[in-house]
Amino acid sequence: MPEPDLTSTQPRPVYVIGAGPGGLAVAAALRARGVRAVVVERSGAVGASWRGHYDRLRLHTTRRLSALPGLAIPRRFGRWVARADVVRYLEKYAEHHELELVTGVEVTRIERAADGEGWTLHASGGRLLAAGAVVVATGYNHTPALPDWPGRETYTGQLLHAAGYRNPGPYAGQDVLVVGVGNTGAEIAVDLAEGGAARVRLAVRTAPHIVRRSTLGWPAQCTGILVRRLPVRLVDRLGALVAKASVPDLTAYGLPRPEAGLYSRVREGAIPVQDVGLIDAVRAGRVEPVAAVASFDGAGVLLADGTRITPDAVVAATGYRRGLEGLVGHLGVLDERGRPLVHGARSPEQAPGLYFTGYTNPISGMLRELSRDAAKIAKALSRG
C-alpha cells in the first residue's frame, strides 16, 4: 500500500499510533466515516505483538465475537483462532480497508501543537508530524515486566520473560519453573509439560479463578458479556456456583479456590484463567504448583515457603507494562499505575483530541471491546 506523506499538514490527519488490532480497527472505522487516518507502527509490520507471542496461543474468544469492524474472520480458521491466523487476519484487514500505514517509524512523544490546534508528534528520524487528533493504541502487552527479585542479576540459570518464549523445543528434558499463573503462565506450563520438559513447576502467588473456555458449547466469553453490567456481588455468587459445578477442587494439588469472588478479582485487574489443559495437567502431576518466588540465590530459586529449588530455566509470565510514560506521561493523562485515565470515545479534559484504546482487559473479550471502542472513537472524531 502507498506510504502517506508524513510531512503533510493540510488537512491534518488523525494519527493512530500502533498497528495492532486496536489501531487498525480505529483507522478502518475512521476511513468508513470519511476521516483520514494514518497508522504509524514502530515495527516492520502489523500485529507485532501477535507475531511475538508463543506458538501454541489461540484466542480465548470465539472467532465470531473477535472480528474487527468491516471484515469477518474466515471460518476456516476455526472457532478458537490460532496466533498465526490472527496475524494473517490483521494483514488482510489492513489490505482490505486500504489503510494508510507507515511502518518502521516510532512516535516517542506527543505534545500540543504550538498554534494550539491539534498535536505535534515527535517520531524517529527527527520527524515532526502534525495531527488533528491522536489515537494511542500501542497495546496492552507493550513492555515486558520482570520483577526485581533479590539475587536476580546474579542468577546463573536461564531466566527469560514469557515474551521470549516460543515453544517447548529448547526445554526438552529440562526442569522448568514458570512464574505466574495468569492465562499466559498457565498455558506455557501446559505447553512445556506436553512438549517434553522433564519437570514443570508453576509458581503461584495468588490462586486464580479457573473457568472452562466452553461448557456444552457455550463460551465463557458469552457469559462475560452477559454479566458485565450486573452487580459485582451477584456475579461473584454466580461464579462460585458455576466453579463448583464445572471445575474440580485443586486445593490438594496446591491450587485452592480463591477467597475473593471472580468478578471482584476482575475489577482489580485479575482475569480468570481459561482452562486449556491446566486442570488435567495439575491433576496428573505434569504441572506442579509451588509457592511464589521470593529471591534468587546463585543457581537456586528461593520460594516464599522457604523451599530452595534449582531449575534449569525460569520463565517469568509476570505481565507487561503499558509503557506510556515517555509518550504522554507529561500530559497528566495517566493514573499512578501508568494507565490512561479515560479510554474509548472520551478524551481527557486536559488533552482534548487525544484518545486511548486497548488498555483494559475485559472479561467480555479484548477484540470485541476494541471493535466497540473503534466505532465510538470514529463517531466522536467525525463529529469534530
Side-chain angles (χ1 to χ4, degrees):
M1 61 189 67
E3 179 173 313
D5 178 6
L6 293 181
T7 63
S8 173
T9 60
Q10 294 294 332
R12 294 178 180 178
V14 175
Y15 274 94
V16 180
I17 306 174
L24 297 179
V26 168
L30 285 168
R31 189 176 188 280
R33 286 181 171 268
V35 178
R36 183 179 176 222
V38 179
V39 182
V40 184
E41 167 59 43
R42 67 174 180 170
S43 72
V46 303
S49 177
W50 279 95
R51 293 175 191 274
H53 287 316
Y54 50 95
D55 296 345
R56 176 193 176 101
L57 179 64
R58 288 180 175 272
L59 288 179
H60 290 167
T61 54
T62 67
R63 180 190 71 251
R64 185 176 61 84
L65 293 174
S66 300
L68 302 180
L71 185 67
I73 298 176
R75 290 179 60 86
R76 68 178 182 277
F77 288 173
R79 193 182 199 195
W80 312 105
V81 183
R83 178 200 63 83
D85 286 332
V86 172
V87 172
R88 293 186 184 98
Y89 172 69
L90 295 179
E91 291 173 339
K92 181 64 177 178
Y93 191 84
E95 177 185 344
H96 174 80
H97 288 291
E98 300 180 336
L99 302 181
E100 290 191 65
L101 176 65
V102 180
T103 59
V105 173
E106 181 177 9
V107 177
T108 56
R109 187 177 176 88
I110 300 172
E111 294 180 338
R112 263 294 177 197
D115 62 4
E117 297 293 329
W119 299 89
T120 297
L121 280 58
H122 296 257
S124 53
R127 298 174 176 86
L128 294 178
L129 314 178
V134 180
V135 181
V136 181
T138 52
Y140 191 85
N141 295 339
H142 185 271
T143 305
L146 195 63
D148 189 21
W149 289 298
R152 190 191 79 186
E153 298 300 328
T154 57
Y155 176 59
T156 58
Q158 181 186 6
L159 171 63
L160 74 154
H161 190 273
Y165 176 88
R166 294 294 174 268
N167 57 65
Y171 308 95
Q174 293 191 11
D175 181 339
V176 186
L177 173 67
V178 180
V179 183
V181 69
N183 278 293
T184 297
E187 190 158 4
I188 287 176
V190 173
D191 196 33
L192 286 163
E194 294 178 353
R199 185 175 190 179
V200 180
R201 283 174 281 207
L202 182 60
V204 180
R205 182 177 61 182
T206 304
H209 285 276
I210 301 174
V211 299
R212 300 288 188 182
R213 185 168 64 178
S214 178
T215 303
L216 300 176
W218 178 262
Q221 179 190 8
C222 291
T223 301
I225 293 170
L226 290 175
V227 306
R228 193 178 181 194
R229 304 298 181 188
L230 295 178
V232 173
R233 289 186 179 180
L234 175 60
V235 180
D236 283 348
R237 293 193 191 100
L238 292 173
L241 292 173
V242 172
K244 288 181 180 180
S246 62
V247 177
D249 186 355
L250 300 176
T251 301
Y253 302 93
L255 277 180
R257 296 189 190 276
E259 295 182 4
L262 185 151
Y263 203 29
S264 294
R265 293 285 306 279
V266 168
R267 297 291 289 270
E268 297 170 357
I271 297 298
V273 170
Q274 293 203 18
D275 178 46
V276 290
L278 180 65
I279 293 172
D280 289 344
V282 167
R283 296 175 79 180
R286 297 193 303 272
V287 171
E288 308 167 44
V290 296
V293 170
S295 63
F296 288 80
D297 176 26
V301 180
L302 300 179
L303 304 180
D305 63 0
T307 304
R308 185 179 189 275
I309 61 176
T310 55
D312 299 305
V314 177
V315 180
T318 46
Y320 294 80
R321 294 189 299 272
R322 311 296 82 83
L324 293 170
E325 289 80 4
L327 188 67
V328 297
H330 55 287
L331 298 175
V333 297
L334 305 178
D335 66 15
E336 67 280 357
R337 296 173 62 184
R339 302 171 303 184
L341 292 170
V342 298
H343 68 276
R346 296 174 58 199
S347 273
E349 290 185 8
Q350 65 273 39
L354 179 64
Y355 299 85
F356 297 88
T357 184
Y359 298 99
T360 60
N361 194 11
I363 59 173
S364 49
M366 172 73 82
L367 294 179
R368 177 181 183 272
E369 296 307 321
L370 288 176
S371 296
R372 292 164 66 88
D373 270 359
K376 294 174 183 176
I377 292 171
K379 183 178 181 179
L381 283 170
S382 64
R383 285 200 305 260

